[in-house]
Amino acid sequence: MNSLVDGQWRILERVAQGAPQSESLEAIVRLIEAQSDGMLCSILLFDPRKQTLHHGAAPSLPAEYVRAIDGSKIGPTEGSCGAAAFRQAPVIAEDTSTHPNWAPWRALAKRHRLRACWSTPILSPDRALLGTFAMYYDAPREPTEVELFWISTATHLACVAITLARQAELEEQLRRAQRMEAVGKLAGGIAHDFNNLLSVIIGYSTMVADSLSETDPVLSDVEEVRRAAGRASELTRQLLAFARRQVMEPHLIDLNEVLRGLHSMLQRVLGEHIVLTLETNAEPASVRVDPGQLEQVVMNLVVNARDAMPRGGELSLRTDSTWVAESSAAHHPGTAPGRYVSISVSDTGEGMDAATMGCIFDPFFTTKEHGKGTGLGLSTVWGIVTQSGGSISVQSSPGAGARFEVLFPAAEGATAPAVMSTKVTSPAEGSETILVVEDEEQVRNLIGSLLRRAGYHVLEAEDGRDGLAQSDQHPGCIHLLLTDVIMPRMNGPELVRALVKARPQTKVVYLTGYTENAMVGHGVLDDSITVLAKPIAPQELLREVRSVLDRG
């Protein structure tokens, strides 16, 4: 008895010191096994999302048996452990060769001389299921009072170890989320300001290029400036995606259809040395997300997996439906209890250690050699997923590959089939009056110049109040208001409400670096609002302006 008490104190001390959960659970199993000859024990951990039990600790059980029960379902007739977890009460199988719950595992148990199995649920203080503790003997028998005491001791210790480990995990997730939020705000602010500069560079370089003949030797130099600005623009888009400040256009789509549509392209990206397997859920996987952003998420995860398998391997894409219970929502930061659709990307690559997994979603973090990557691929994925109301998690260990799982809230309704854009390009020129409101002088001057060259009559204002003053002083019609979103004194949405009240026929286009304002819910805009993201190419800006003006 003294050895049992001493062992408990040693385990509790290690748990309090922050020992890994696996180490604590194995110590509990070994402590109980040491109390009697011929006794074997195991701890299984409950996955509330999948409603299954998974290996926690079983140092003395045969490896074949451990593999067989790993991932087993819970239910009233699912062996001893599955039934104990389902009933949240002990299940005593005095003889596994005759107990009805053991029919699927009878031959396996006989082969390894596991004739008696007593399983007890591990419950949290608030009676939530954490897992099961089981005792095995090589002969049919029922537990004694002493053995029941050992079981009670084991479940109590396991409850403490699992609860504290999960609390530490949640605290780490909170710290990581706070760090990501802080870095995201910084990245978003930098990207927003940088986009204004890129708008000027792209705009004026395009105007210069358009004014040069194809034989002009300066043209190639201008094109290099435009290409460099384009690469910089892509970096800022990735930063805005990470910062969750990009403009998104969500649609109701079926993830299964999207992945099937991407299959051929993904296979080309992976190359012949990697085998791609696609397994889609039988039921429609309906979600409301931006299709283009979803494709970027899948592509980034697939490319990341490819780079982890330089000598080839296997990559699996899988969709599924799942339910996140209230008890497990905390383990998926940013998610609320409810039904979700998942995409998992699994590879047989090099895997990652815990330190790497703790940093992989940080911007500019990369394990690739210098010059081989920007470190923005996975941070972009994280930003898109979280901005879409979902979550992303990763499981990996060195040499064992990696599995990324993305959860999106399930959506109801009929999904629209994926179709190629059939937008008709309108002539870019016009003669209407356009009020341009932009607080960055260089950007405002550029837009004004572009519109005047296209034949429009342009009024310019440096902020919302100045825009209202220009509107009040202009006697004629203002056909279109082209405004920034975030400005000093009066922002874009406030200006729109005031101006459209006085001029209800005026149409509106927002031009912005990101969409963090009172009008935007989680970065998702109303379908009826036209929003153009900076930086925008001059011809694209003119086409969009013309398109809005031509609407009925």
Side-chain angles (χ1 to χ4, degrees), residues 15-330:
V15 169
Q17 292 171 349
Q21 177 178 275
S22 58
E23 175 188 318
S24 301
L25 297 184
E26 182 170 330
I28 293 168
V29 168
R30 291 191 182 279
L31 174 65
I32 301 302
E33 287 180 340
Q35 305 308 308
S36 175
D37 293 335
M39 180 218 300
L40 303 179
C41 299
S42 73
I43 292 176
L44 294 176
L45 299 174
F46 177 57
D47 184 335
R49 188 165 57 82
K50 296 181 179 179
Q51 296 290 293
T52 50
L53 295 169
H54 297 269
H55 172 68
S60 305
L61 280 171
E64 181 190 15
Y65 180 77
V66 172
R67 288 193 298 269
I69 64 173
D70 187 23
S72 56
K73 298 178 181 178
I74 71 169
T77 60
E78 298 288 339
S80 295
C81 295
F86 180 82
R87 299 173 184 174
Q88 296 200 8
V91 172
I92 307 299
E94 298 175 7
D95 189 346
T96 59
S97 66
T98 59
H99 197 287
N101 282 16
W102 277 80
W105 300 280
R106 191 160 288 148
L108 182 64
K110 181 179 180 180
R111 186 159 60 248
H112 295 293
R113 301 180 62 190
L114 303 174
R115 291 296 302 276
C117 177
W118 319 323
S119 184
T120 301
I122 302 169
L123 302 175
S124 70
D126 59 358
R127 304 293 295 175
L129 179 65
L130 302 177
T132 61
F133 175 82
M135 273 186 180
Y136 298 85
Y137 277 98
D138 60 2
R141 53 173 295 186
E142 62 181 18
T144 65
E145 289 296 325
V146 173
E147 288 164 333
L148 291 175
F149 174 73
W150 293 340
I151 292 172
S152 175
T153 299
T155 56
H156 172 71
L157 288 174
C159 170
V160 173
I162 296 170
T163 301
L164 291 182
R166 291 186 176 180
Q167 180 179 337
E169 179 184 354
L170 292 175
E171 290 173 351
E172 175 59 27
Q173 288 178 351
L174 176 60
R175 286 192 292 270
R176 187 178 305 162
Q178 290 173 334
R179 184 180 75 242
M180 298 284 273
E181 184 68 24
V183 175
K185 287 182 178 179
L186 175 62
I190 292 173
H192 174 257
D193 293 341
F194 196 46
N195 268 338
N196 282 328
L197 297 175
L198 287 174
S199 296
V200 175
I201 295 171
I202 293 173
Y204 281 115
S205 62
T206 299
M207 292 167 63
V208 171
D210 290 344
S211 67
L212 299 175
S213 67
E214 293 184 1
T215 59
D216 195 313
V218 178
L219 182 60
S220 61
D221 296 334
V222 176
E223 291 296 340
E224 283 299 321
V225 172
R226 292 175 65 186
R227 278 192 285 271
R231 291 194 295 270
S233 175
E234 178 58 31
L235 285 175
T236 61
R237 274 194 290 270
Q238 290 179 305
L239 283 172
L240 288 172
F242 164 72
R244 296 175 292 170
R245 284 161 171 78
Q246 60 183 342
V247 179
M248 303 189 80
E249 298 180 10
H251 299 283
L252 192 62
I253 60 173
D254 184 351
L255 288 183
N256 296 331
E257 291 185 6
V258 172
L259 292 185
R260 284 192 286 263
L262 289 173
H263 186 268
S264 297
M265 182 176 65
L266 294 176
Q267 187 63 75
R268 289 194 297 272
V269 169
L270 290 172
E272 296 180 356
H273 66 304
I274 296 176
V275 178
L276 173 63
T277 302
L278 175 61
E279 183 180 349
T280 56
N281 193 18
E283 300 177 356
S286 301
V287 295
R288 186 174 292 278
V289 298
D290 185 311
Q293 300 297 338
L294 173 63
E295 291 181 6
Q296 185 177 358
V297 166
V298 175
M299 183 64 70
N300 284 10
L301 291 176
V302 167
V303 169
N304 184 73
R306 179 200 64 188
D307 294 344
M309 298 183 286
R311 290 177 295 278
E314 298 178 8
L315 187 146
S316 173
L317 274 174
R318 186 171 185 269
T319 63
D320 202 358
S321 295
T322 187
W323 181 268
V324 175
E326 186 171 359
S327 58
S328 61

Side-chain angles (χ1 to χ4, degrees), residues 379-530:
S379 62
T380 298
V381 169
W382 180 87
I384 292 172
V385 171
T386 53
Q387 188 176 0
S388 302
S391 70
I392 182 170
S393 59
V394 59
Q395 296 175 330
S396 183
S397 59
R403 180 178 183 272
F404 287 84
E405 183 179 45
V406 176
L407 296 182
F408 288 115
E412 301 295 335
T415 58
V419 294
M420 297 297 292
S421 174
T422 57
K423 182 192 291 185
V424 177
T425 302
S426 304
E429 295 81 10
S431 58
E432 292 90 343
T433 297
I434 300 176
L435 173 58
V436 176
V437 185
E438 165 63 59
D439 60 317
E440 289 289 337
E441 183 179 5
Q442 287 184 306
V443 176
R444 185 172 68 250
N445 291 341
L446 168 67
I447 295 173
S449 179
L450 285 171
L451 293 173
R452 290 187 183 96
R453 288 190 179 198
Y456 295 103
H457 176 60
V458 180
L459 306 174
E460 295 183 17
E462 64 183 15
D463 57 37
R465 290 186 183 178
D466 189 20
L468 283 181
Q470 292 278 3
S471 174
D472 292 340
Q473 295 168 12
H474 183 70
C477 178
I478 295 180
H479 299 88
L480 178 71
L481 168 63
L482 178 60
T483 179
D484 194 2
V485 174
I486 300 176
M487 296 178 291
R489 299 204 299 171
M490 177 183 287
N491 64 32
E494 292 172 336
L495 166 63
V496 168
R497 285 192 291 270
L499 190 144
V500 171
K501 185 176 180 181
R503 296 176 178 267
Q505 301 304 315
T506 299
K507 297 174 181 178
V508 177
V509 172
Y510 285 105
L511 182 63
T512 181
Y514 59 89
T515 59
E516 186 183 34
N517 60 83
M519 188 178 172
V520 180
H522 306 291
V524 181
L525 298 169
D526 186 273
D527 292 341
S528 64
I529 301 174
T530 299

Side-chain angles (χ1 to χ4, degrees), residues 344-389:
S344 62
V345 180
S346 305
D347 65 64
T348 58
E350 301 167 345
M352 296 172 282
D353 56 25
T356 301
M357 285 193 291
C359 301
I360 55 172
F361 297 118
D362 290 356
F364 304 112
F365 175 82
T366 180
T367 58
K368 299 174 184 176
E369 60 183 276
H370 181 69
K372 293 295 185 180
T374 63
L376 287 173
L378 290 178
S379 62
T380 298
V381 169
W382 180 87
I384 292 172
V385 171
T386 53
Q387 188 176 0
S388 302

